Amino acid sequence: FYCHEYKLVIEIVGDIHNDEENKEYDIGREAELKRFGISVLRFTNDQVIYKLDEVILRIHRVLTKLTPL
């Protein structure tokens, strides 16, 4: 999910992102996004399924610190 107003990417990741090749890709992609002032929040599938309240609270905290365009 990308919110242009806050330049924030919210990503839900599965186990495939634990693979070293995918980790390196994610790090590179996130660095590229940061060059454009875009922040990335990553959550695991399990966090979304079992701890949704915590996920929502973290998103809220980040949004309150970011300045909308």
Side-chain angles (χ1 to χ4, degrees):
F1 171 79
Y2 176 64
C3 177
H4 178 72
E5 182 178 354
Y6 286 91
K7 297 180 92 172
L8 177 66
V9 170
I10 298 173
E11 190 173 345
I12 311 302
V13 297
D15 291 337
I16 193 168
H17 290 267
N18 294 329
D19 175 279
E20 281 305 313
E21 185 176 327
N22 288 325
K23 282 182 183 179
E24 288 179 30
Y25 176 81
D26 287 343
I27 290 168
R29 187 169 47 88
E30 188 168 340
E32 188 69 20
L33 291 169
K34 283 183 180 182
R35 285 186 46 219
F36 295 99
I38 298 171
S39 301
V40 178
L41 274 179
R42 238 181 229 105
F43 300 99
T44 65
N45 291 335
D46 285 345
Q47 286 175 301
V48 173
I49 293 168
Y50 301 111
K51 298 180 179 183
L52 185 58
D53 290 344
E54 291 175 21
V55 169
I56 292 169
L57 183 60
R58 183 163 172 222
I59 293 168
H60 182 265
R61 285 182 180 152
V62 168
L63 287 175
T64 57
K65 292 179 183 176
L66 295 175
T67 306
L69 296 177

